[in-house]
Amino acid sequence: MPPDIAAPSPAARRTWFGLAVLMLPVLLVSMDFSVLYLAMPTIVDSLDSTATQQLWILDIYGFMIAGLLITMGNIGDRIGRRRILLVGAAVFGGASVLAAFAPGPEALIAARALMGVGGATLMPASLALIANMFTDPRQRARAIGIWTSAFAGGAAIGPVLGGLLLHHYWWGIVFLINVPVLAILFAAGPFILPEFRATSTDPFDVPGVVLSLLGILPGVYAVKAFATAGVSPQAVLAGLFGLAMLVVFLWHESRATAPLVNLRLFRNPTFSACVAVALVGMMAEGGIAYLSNTYLQSVLGHDVLAAALAGLPMAVTVATFSIVADRVARLLGPRLALAGSVTLAGVSNIGFLALGTSSPLWIFMTLSAVAGVGYGVVFSLVTDIVVGSAPPEQSGAASAISETSFELGTALGLALLGSLATAVFLSDDAGHGFADSLGETLKQTEHLGAAGEATADAAKAAFVDGMHVAAVAGGGTLLVLALVVFVAMRRRPRAPSVDVAV
């Protein structure tokens, strides 16, 4: 039996308090993914940023996190997970202040990039520390569920909190709210959180770091470029270059003495299946969340804050079922729990076919809440199994693999499902004269009288058709993956965190 679960002992009260401290940076990283969407109109007016600069302000944070997660997870394994957590929090907090008082768009882009560097240390370090702090499998699963619910809660709280603050303060407040939260982390972290580092003396895999960045960053850029601007020579070249570098990265990792990514973990079918679930699950969830925001505002006519509030039922179910996912796994077994929750998420996605151009809001809220039940169990169990499959000295790197899959899945959801919905939207034009997006079409028809209203109604119907196709594509992919999980998990994971038979 692996040493980290050979003699489990119940966690002390101090350990659970440490978990509460670890939830703080996770909340911030998650909030900063979503809060900026509400602040962008004000930022554009204040800083007079171009369209290209606006995209970089939004995207550079995610680029840096996606590209550096694996590297930072490995660095934390070597120099100490508490140490890199606190260093990363300092970088994140300092960059937040720089962003709040940025004098121009270039300075804001640089500050957001620095926030991404700090954010990339917080997620794998906090998750790896949980694996060290909770040696009892059931308590570890519960702790990871709470960690997952904090991430989901941050994503939901971000737009609502941002909307409330922006009613009273200037746009920089959405960055400054990070500072008092991080102050609590600095005050309590050094005394509450344990330190853990690997004992390996092998040289750090610097070529692996370079190759991973050359693979992930151009790849994420290409995916986001396809989603926002369609196919372009620059995006195609970036995608091909990133793919080539990832192939070289895998070749190097298979031969490195101390690889950045232990490819032997992927020999475990359960580990591989869970990474695939993280990737596809976030692709489906991210794609439908992106389309739903447009649906609620541009089709149903709700304002930004009302749209954010309509997303709270899903956030509540994701958070709740992330926490109780370990109980679901003990009741049904990890295999059936994971396959069943993936199935529920897929069926709920397909259920978006029930939404039309004038559907009552409760239908959307019900469907998204049911989907949240599936996603909550999925994300918690996936994270638990992935972290539990790795030896203790590599749990930081393993958690980074999981989080990178989540991040790449979100980008793929925006690109693939967003592009699919756009293609259907444009194919339904039928001579109405649609612009490239629903929002642009509605702006063009505002002052055209009856003819404009007819075009606007047709554009809304076409957008809903596109959303339906994307929902079926994402949901259908999840259903196929549920079958794959059911087959792949016929054998027990090598180091499962959930202590029941598969």
Side-chain angles (χ1 to χ4, degrees):
M1 189 174 284
D4 62 322
I5 60 172
S9 58
R13 181 179 300 176
R14 176 189 179 94
T15 304
W16 288 104
F17 185 67
L19 174 64
V21 172
L22 287 176
M23 290 172 63
L24 299 176
V26 175
L27 276 168
L28 293 183
V29 172
S30 177
M31 283 174 56
D32 274 88
F33 273 112
S34 58
V35 70
L36 204 60
Y37 290 106
L38 285 175
M40 276 308 296
T42 308
I43 291 174
V44 171
D45 291 339
S46 300
L47 301 183
D48 195 25
S49 57
T50 66
T52 301
Q53 288 171 334
Q54 293 171 41
L55 290 176
W56 279 110
I57 291 170
L58 288 170
D59 290 340
I60 191 64
Y61 177 73
F63 283 169
M64 300 306 295
I65 286 184
L68 291 172
L69 275 170
I70 293 177
T71 297
M72 293 303 183
N74 276 268
I75 292 176
D77 288 342
R78 287 173 173 264
I79 72 171
R81 292 164 187 165
R82 184 182 66 189
R83 177 179 298 175
I84 198 169
L85 178 75
L86 295 176
V87 170
V91 173
F92 192 86
S96 297
V97 175
L98 293 176
F101 296 101
E106 296 85 358
L108 182 55
I109 291 170
R112 289 279 290 170
L114 196 58
M115 288 177 67
V117 174
T121 71
L122 300 179
M123 294 167 67
S126 61
L127 190 53
L129 279 171
I130 289 174
N132 301 133
M133 292 161 58
F134 293 89
T135 58
D136 180 83
R138 292 189 179 185
Q139 290 189 333
R140 179 190 297 172
R142 175 63 57 84
I144 288 177
I146 294 172
W147 184 94
T148 305
S149 71
F151 190 83
I157 293 171
V160 178
L161 181 60
L164 293 174
L165 290 174
L166 288 169
H167 277 297
H168 302 284
Y169 304 100
W170 102 112
W171 59 266
I173 194 66
V174 301
F175 299 111
L176 288 183
I177 58 175
N178 297 334
V179 176
V181 178
L182 291 174
I184 299 173
L185 174 63
F186 282 116
F191 307 101
I192 297 297
L193 301 176
E195 183 59 286
F196 184 94
R197 65 174 61 89
T199 57
S200 174
T201 58
D202 293 323
F204 188 63
D205 185 16
V206 175
V209 172
V210 175
L211 289 171
S212 69
L213 291 175
L214 291 176
I216 294 175
L217 289 178
V220 174
Y221 167 78
V223 168
K224 288 182 175 287
F226 289 145
T228 56
V231 178
S232 67
Q234 295 88 343
V236 171
L237 288 175
L240 292 176
F241 178 79
L243 182 60
M245 289 299 100
L246 286 177
V247 171
V248 177
F249 170 74
L250 294 175
W251 174 84
H252 168 77
E253 294 300 287
S254 67
R255 290 161 173 76
T257 303
L260 198 66
V261 175
N262 185 356
L263 298 181
R264 287 177 294 181
L265 290 172
F266 289 91
R267 296 176 184 173
N268 181 347
T270 298
F271 180 91
S272 298
C274 286
V275 171
V277 168
L279 185 71
V280 176
M282 279 307 301
M283 183 188 76
E285 195 275 338
I288 204 65
Y290 166 72
L291 295 171
S292 295
N293 186 56
T294 303
Y295 171 75
L296 291 171
Q297 295 183 63
S298 298
V299 176
L300 297 187
H302 298 288
D303 61 24
V304 175
L305 187 57
L309 292 172
L312 286 180
M314 181 175 182
V316 170
T317 54
V318 169
T320 301
F321 282 85
S322 295
I323 296 174
V324 303
D326 63 314
R327 296 183 182 179
V328 177
R330 289 199 299 270
L331 179 66
L332 303 177
R335 179 191 183 196
L336 187 57
L338 187 55
S341 56
V342 173
T343 300
L344 180 61
V347 170
S348 300
N349 262 44
I350 296 174
F352 273 65
L353 288 171
L355 297 175
T357 56
S358 59
S359 297
L361 193 58
W362 68 265
I363 297 179
F364 168 81
M365 297 172 72
T366 301
L367 287 170
S368 60
V370 174
V373 174
Y375 285 124
V377 177
V378 165
F379 297 151
S380 183
L381 288 185
V382 162
T383 304
D384 182 34
I385 292 172
V386 168
V387 174
S389 296
E393 66 273 10
Q394 293 183 345
S395 59
S399 65
I401 293 173
S402 172
E403 295 307 314
T404 301
S405 299
F406 284 129
E407 175 64 22
L408 291 177
T410 302
L412 286 173
L414 295 176
L416 299 180
L417 297 184
S419 298
L420 178 61
T422 299
V424 174
F425 169 77
L426 295 176
S427 69
D428 283 359
D429 191 334
H432 291 289
F434 294 168
D436 291 339
S437 68
L438 176 59
E440 293 177 6
T441 302
L442 295 180
K443 286 182 181 179
Q444 292 179 3
T445 59
E446 285 180 352
H447 307 292
L448 298 180
E453 291 182 9
T455 300
D457 291 341
K460 291 178 181 179
F463 177 86
V464 170
D465 289 342
M467 184 178 69
H468 287 167
V469 173
V472 171
T477 306
L478 285 173
L479 294 181
V480 172
L481 188 59
L483 179 60
V484 173
V485 167
F486 191 75
V487 173
M489 291 185 68
R490 285 181 296 182
R491 294 186 299 172
R492 178 190 290 271
R494 291 182 183 178
S497 294
V498 184
D499 60 337
V500 293
V502 177

